Amino acid sequence: MTMTMTMPDIRRSVLWRDRLAQYRSRLAAPPPLIVEGKLTRMVGLTLEAVGCQAAIGERCLVLGPGGNIVETEVVGFSGNKTFLMPTGEIRGLMPNARVIPVRHAYGVAVGDALLGRVLDGGGQPLDGRGPLRTGSVVPLSGRPINPLGRRPIREPLDVGVRAINALLTVGRGQRMGLFAGSGVGKSVLLGMMTRFTNADVIVVGLIGERGREVKEFIENILGEEGMARSVVVAAPADHTPMMRLHGAMLATSIAEYFRDQGKQVLLLMDSLTRFAQAQREIALAIGEPPATKGYPPSAFAKLPQLVERAGTSDETGGSITAFYTVLTESDDQQDPIADAARAILDGHIVLSRQLAEAGHYPAIDIEASISRVMTEVTSSVHQGAARHFKQLYSAYQQNRDLINIGAYNRGSDPHIDQAIDYQPRLSSFLRQGMNQPVSLAESIGGLNELIGA
């Protein structure tokens, strides 16, 4: 039997033969040559090496004369110079130290064994409970999500805080900013949400904060019950800027892993400002010019790259609801990082120093706070009651000085008269003890009862 081949068959056979030849040649090709370099200069925390070939984001090992090894990451290059940023101690390095590239970027070991553990910015355990037994590794930088592949936010999230549940309702998959100066109770509020929020897994990133606060947060705020379903990543202020940067990315990668398992994840990061400051230190060290108040453009570019990794996913039905604390220097809400964060987040909760000094906790400034997805996850009746509450609260605050000195005469404005009558109940509604959870249903019911909806 004679077989004849048509022209398309011939083209197809030639194409497959060429592809097979290319595949075989790639298998037979030697691995890329690792070209070592040497350390020539150190300025601040930046190491300059010549002779080595490594891509941005890849690791390099610097071998000191005493046998110590310093792990670094490639952060830039200029001509034949490669700029490295250490992730740990750099003590003991000398000129002409060997620089050996490692042909892969940083990864994150993930798995259910992470629950209840405390890690540093490099993913190593800090709790003295032995090595991590994880079976999967994911990239530190995560993977981008197609905007059309994000499931719409339609379900409210119960955070256990009455003021937020009733007036600033959060949706599953939302990204909120917690704007506060120092000493106004943001850590306590984070701890309340950690213990009270209805979530499968909680990931806490303590980035650039005081080392003393790490243990206090775990023991006094999280507690054993909260820690059982939590993963804590701690990169305190005394760690290198690269380690602080990695800490924030590590916490986000862990949250992404559990979201991809179909779980509802709560991500708390304290703070987004320290993350931006770490990037500022790195960028300025390698010569990037500053732009706004000493922050180079890359610091502002890093913020959405980190924040956009949180949210919902259509693939598994899981979600990451994220709260990022933003430090406002001198309580200035127009701080450049605060202003940039406000633009890329799905809402913001502002803590007031005036309320904190008056003993009003949580010190949430209802007038300055907003949840951009509240209208998508609440009923029209709830929205109307919340709007009426804010109108009464704002009317009293705007006329507070006149009322306190007796310059306001009752009967001049019925709306202000009503605000004065409601003020004690409004203030009481916004107060809550740190060990007293209030569910979403109880919050909405209390709001309707107060407003008379």
Side-chain angles (χ1 to χ4, degrees), residues 179-186 326-329 331 333 351 353:
F179 291 69
S182 57
V184 295
K186 61 179 175 57
V326 180
L327 300 177
T328 52
E329 298 180 5
D331 296 332
Q333 297 298 323
L351 300 187
R353 184 172 302 277

Side-chain angles (χ1 to χ4, degrees), residues 97-423:
R98 293 173 60 193
V99 179
I100 304 176
V102 179
R103 290 296 182 187
H104 58 81
Y106 284 88
V108 181
V110 292
D112 291 342
L114 292 177
L115 294 176
R117 302 300 300 269
V118 183
L119 316 177
D120 65 8
Q124 300 303 313
L126 291 174
D127 49 16
R129 295 172 49 191
L132 298 171
R133 302 187 183 279
T134 55
S136 302
V137 177
V138 297
L140 188 66
S141 57
R143 58 180 179 82
I145 298 179
N146 188 327
L148 298 182
R150 289 187 181 272
R151 183 164 38 86
I153 300 174
R154 294 290 185 267
E155 183 181 355
L157 177 68
D158 185 357
V159 298
V161 180
R162 181 167 47 226
I164 299 177
N165 280 341
L167 305 172
L168 306 166
T169 311
V170 177
R172 287 196 183 275
Q174 186 174 356
R175 299 159 302 182
M176 289 284 284
L178 190 59
F179 291 69
S182 57
V184 295
K186 61 179 175 57
S187 296
V188 175
L189 182 57
L190 281 180
M192 292 172 64
M193 290 189 290
T194 302
R195 296 193 308 273
F196 304 155
T197 298
N198 182 18
D200 299 326
V201 176
I202 299 170
V203 181
V204 181
L206 302 176
I207 311 301
E209 296 301 312
R210 293 180 288 271
R212 171 185 61 82
E213 294 182 337
V214 176
K215 189 172 184 178
E216 291 182 357
F217 186 90
I218 294 172
E219 294 184 354
N220 301 338
I221 297 179
L222 265 181
E224 292 185 6
E225 182 181 352
M227 192 63 200
R229 55 176 180 149
S230 302
V231 183
V232 177
V233 178
D238 60 338
H239 286 200
T240 63
M242 184 58 67
M243 187 63 77
R244 281 177 267 146
L245 209 66
H246 283 186
M249 298 168 68
L250 173 64
T252 307
S253 294
I254 293 173
E256 286 177 322
Y257 166 78
F258 285 109
R259 177 187 61 188
D260 293 343
Q261 305 301 311
K263 296 182 179 180
Q264 308 303 323
V265 183
L266 175 66
L267 172 63
L268 304 174
M269 190 167 295
D270 186 13
S271 68
L272 195 63
T273 304
R274 303 300 188 201
F275 171 81
Q277 289 175 348
Q279 175 60 27
R280 176 176 65 178
E281 293 178 40
I282 295 171
L284 294 179
I286 63 176
E288 185 179 353
T292 306
K293 288 191 177 182
Y295 286 96
S298 63
F300 298 100
K302 282 282 187 180
L303 293 178
Q305 291 177 8
L306 180 71
V307 170
E308 283 294 326
R309 294 170 62 182
T312 59
S313 173
D314 257 344
E315 297 180 1
T316 62
S319 68
I320 301 176
T321 306
F323 286 86
Y324 301 93
T325 65
V326 180
L327 300 177
T328 52
E329 298 180 5
S330 303
D331 296 332
D332 180 15
Q333 297 298 323
Q334 303 307 316
D335 176 83
I337 297 301
D339 198 40
R342 192 182 297 108
I344 60 178
L345 294 172
D346 301 325
H348 50 272
I349 299 172
V350 178
L351 300 187
S352 166
R353 184 172 302 277
Q354 183 179 6
L355 291 174
E357 291 174 347
H360 181 118
Y361 290 102
I364 299 175
D365 187 347
I366 294 299
E367 293 180 283
S369 305
I370 189 172
S371 172
R372 293 178 179 170
V373 303
M374 181 175 176
T375 56
E376 305 297 329
V377 297
T378 57
S379 65
S380 58
V381 174
H382 181 184
Q383 295 169 29
R387 187 162 50 249
H388 192 189
F389 183 104
K390 291 182 178 181
Q391 290 170 350
L392 293 174
Y393 185 84
S394 180
Y396 182 87
Q397 296 299 325
Q398 292 173 6
N399 296 275
R400 182 175 182 176
D401 293 338
L402 294 176
I403 297 170
N404 288 340
I405 64 175
Y408 174 76
N409 296 320
R410 288 189 67 91
S412 301
D413 188 330
H415 188 58
I416 298 178
D417 292 343
Q418 186 183 22
I420 295 174
D421 295 335
Y422 270 84
Q423 175 56 26

